[in-house]
Amino acid sequence: MSTFKAPKGTYDLIPPYSAKYLAVRDAIAAPLRKAGYGYIETPGFEDVNLFARGVGESTDIVTKEMFTLTTKGGTNLALRPEGTASVLRAALEASLHKKGNLPVKLWYSGSYYRYERPQAGRYRHFSQVGAEAIGAEDPALDAELIILADQAYRALGLRNFRILLNSLGDKECRPVYREALQAFLRGLDLDEETVRRAEINPLRVLDDKRPEVQKQLVGAPLLRDYLCDACKAYHEEVRALITAAGVAFEDDEKLVRGLDYYTRTTFEFVHGGLGSQSAVGGGGRYDGLSEMIGGPALPSVGWALGVDRTVLALEAEGIELDIPPATSVFAVALGEAKPVLFALVTELRKAGVAADISYGGKGLKGAMKDANRSGARFAVIAGDRDLAEGVVQLKDMESGDQSPVALADVVEVLRGKLA
Ligand code: ATP
Ligand code: MG
């Protein structure tokens, strides 16, 4: 034990468990990479105003959840609470959108920070893999992203998840709806904070999870009935494309999501095994965000999937990922054989074989325990007598069979057996 512990609301990823996280990140990224999304990495912190303006002054993320700090130079920064605003900021800064290559398709993977009340599936440090398609208004892009996320989850073996889909309208039709909803909300019995929220961002009241609020929302006007023809047609096209791809989804007229920048297509991935933190990921179209942060009009769409909750979802479904052992060959050196086997391990690694060796001067028993623990398929064992004969003992760790192989041939023999 050290004097220190991981800060509240955080946890460490430790082998072998951490391998799951790598596998989940890889599985989410794989379909994106094959669909033309390029990898982007941005700093862990940004100007606090990027999020205040981009994510929205009235959102929980900005009002309650940001970790902010002032540098010695007096700059106000925030640890990033989400990815989209940073990715768009970086794309604009690098003028990616000016090179005639719209849409700019990007994916990212990293740590995010929110000052929340920690509970299962809700942490102060968590990780996401996300994707953004910047600078094109095309229902096929919205559909592509939803299909790719579905593909990632299916590749992981997840079955007990649902895709909720809605359209939030655009700057033509949403204001009309907003007013109708506001008029409805003014007639309800709501607490002070919710009344304030209803005035600043009434759509977000629909997102309120408290039963006493949800009960009163029965009969609230639905955005669906207010969508303009352009938004309706756009949404129908997205729905048709996803349906044609065989991806099941549910229309959810109350889905609004917690960020201000969403327009038109909005979606959420929810999992049945996560209790109250049921959202594993979400996203949507954010046509106005670029202008909100000082850029040109760049209609865009994206999503972020939470890695932590995806791992919890896998556990809830009892899915064991097929993670191959890190080591294929383990060397056990006895007597004076250490330098020879150490050189052999280096050679194996150069040849692309995952190899390891026992350290710390252990005897045969201890070193064989290491070999077992490593999960290696083969052990290479040698002592002084073997070396005098120019051989090593090759042991198949599954069958237990052991036979001598010429030291000069052992790399080729192992490569052949492992191929
Ligand atoms: P929630 O409604 O659960 O608070 P959210 O709408 O704030 O979620 P998003 O901003 O859409 O979440 O983030 C996308 C995904 O990132 C979530 O679906 C979730 O998997 C993950 N995520 C968000 N906040 C946390 C957190 N505090 N701890 C762990 N994962 C999180
Ligand atoms: Mg949240």
Side-chain angles (χ1 to χ4, degrees), residues 1 4-5 13 22 28 69 83 117 127 140 150 165 171 209 223 233 259 263 280 294 321 327 336 344 355 395 407 416:
M1 276 288 279
F4 301 102
K5 283 189 168 168
L13 290 178
L22 284 181
I28 299 174
L69 63 128
R117 200 152 52 85
S127 79
D150 180 78
L165 183 69
K171 56 180 185 295
K209 305 280 189 306
L223 188 46
L259 292 75
T263 50
V280 284
L321 296 179
T327 304
E336 302 300 312
L344 173 65
K395 181 170 181 178
L407 181 60

Side-chain angles (χ1 to χ4, degrees), residues 60-61 65 114 116 122 309:
D60 282 351
I61 291 182
E65 296 172 3
R114 295 185 193 178
E116 305 208 62
R122 189 175 295 286
R309 286 190 202 167

Side-chain angles (χ1 to χ4, degrees), residues 69-396:
L69 63 128
T70 306
T71 66
K72 291 188 177 73
T75 309
N76 292 322
L77 300 174
L79 301 187
R80 58 182 181 188
E82 61 101 47
T84 303
S86 312
V87 167
L88 188 56
R89 193 270 308 140
L92 290 171
E93 192 171 330
S95 293
L96 294 184
H97 61 295
K98 285 188 185 148
K99 300 193 172 123
N101 54 350
L102 296 178
V104 180
K105 302 208 288 188
L106 301 167
W107 75 274
Y108 59 86
S109 172
S111 291
Y112 295 85
Y113 307 86
R114 295 185 193 178
Y115 189 75
E116 305 208 62
R117 200 152 52 85
Q119 47 196 295
R122 189 175 295 286
Y123 314 105
R124 292 184 174 176
H125 165 261
F126 58 97
S127 79
Q128 291 183 336
V129 176
E132 315 289 351
I134 297 165
E137 191 184 272
D138 185 339
L141 264 187
D142 309 43
E144 168 174 290
L145 278 164
I146 294 170
I147 293 164
L148 292 173
D150 180 78
Q151 204 180 316
Y153 275 168
R154 291 197 179 275
L156 282 167
L158 288 169
R159 291 293 174 267
N160 185 15
F161 69 89
R162 299 180 298 144
I163 302 172
L164 309 179
L165 183 69
N166 194 18
S167 171
L168 291 181
D170 63 6
K171 56 180 185 295
E172 300 304 318
C173 53
R174 192 154 58 177
V176 185
Y177 170 69
R178 191 176 185 276
E179 265 183 40
L181 180 63
Q182 240 162 12
F184 174 85
L185 295 175
R186 285 191 192 115
L188 303 184
D189 177 27
L190 300 168
D191 61 279
E192 211 174 300
E193 194 191 329
T194 313
V195 169
R196 210 174 318 125
R197 177 175 291 166
E199 292 310 314
I200 306 170
N201 193 342
L203 269 73
R204 292 197 45 252
V205 179
L206 298 179
D207 202 22
D208 201 314
K209 305 280 189 306
R210 291 172 299 176
E212 65 269 27
V213 177
Q214 279 302 324
K215 224 168 37 209
Q216 298 189 67
L217 291 175
V218 178
L222 291 176
L223 188 46
R224 180 189 54 193
D225 302 323
Y226 288 78
L227 288 184
C228 61
D229 288 344
C231 282
K232 248 186 238 166
Y234 194 95
H235 197 56
E236 279 318 308
E237 225 174 306
V238 174
R239 293 177 78 255
L241 288 166
I242 310 173
T243 307
V247 172
F249 63 92
E250 294 164 34
D251 294 305
D252 180 351
E253 277 100 26
K254 288 215 173 115
L255 180 71
V256 291
R257 302 193 29 76
L259 292 75
D260 276 357
Y261 52 58
Y262 286 113
T263 50
R264 289 194 171 168
T265 315
T266 343
F267 48 88
E268 203 155 80
F269 287 76
V270 297
H271 191 272
L274 295 187
S276 55
Q277 317 316 329
S278 62
V280 284
R285 182 155 274 285
Y286 49 93
D287 291 345
L289 179 59
S290 174
E291 286 152 299
M292 281 157 83
I293 62 169
L298 280 175
S300 306
V301 57
W303 51 243
L305 305 184
V307 175
D308 310 72
R309 286 190 202 167
T310 302
V311 170
L312 291 175
L314 288 168
E315 285 165 4
E317 289 198 40
I319 297 167
E320 279 302 328
L321 296 179
D322 185 23
I323 298 171
T327 304
S328 302
V329 177
F330 199 94
V332 171
L334 306 168
E336 302 300 312
K338 184 74 172 268
V340 175
L341 288 200
F342 186 77
L344 173 65
V345 163
T346 303
E347 210 184 319
L348 281 166
R349 289 172 179 168
K350 274 193 208 155
V353 176
D356 201 358
I357 186 168
S358 179
Y359 290 101
K362 288 179 186 162
L364 179 62
K365 214 170 139 197
M368 283 311 292
K369 256 192 199 162
D370 287 348
N372 271 317
R373 219 184 346 249
S374 76
R377 182 74 178 75
F378 296 98
V380 170
I381 307 155
D384 299 341
R385 194 157 10 122
D386 298 304
L387 291 189
E389 291 169 17
V391 298
V392 297
Q393 302 298 322
L394 184 58
K395 181 170 181 178
D396 183 321

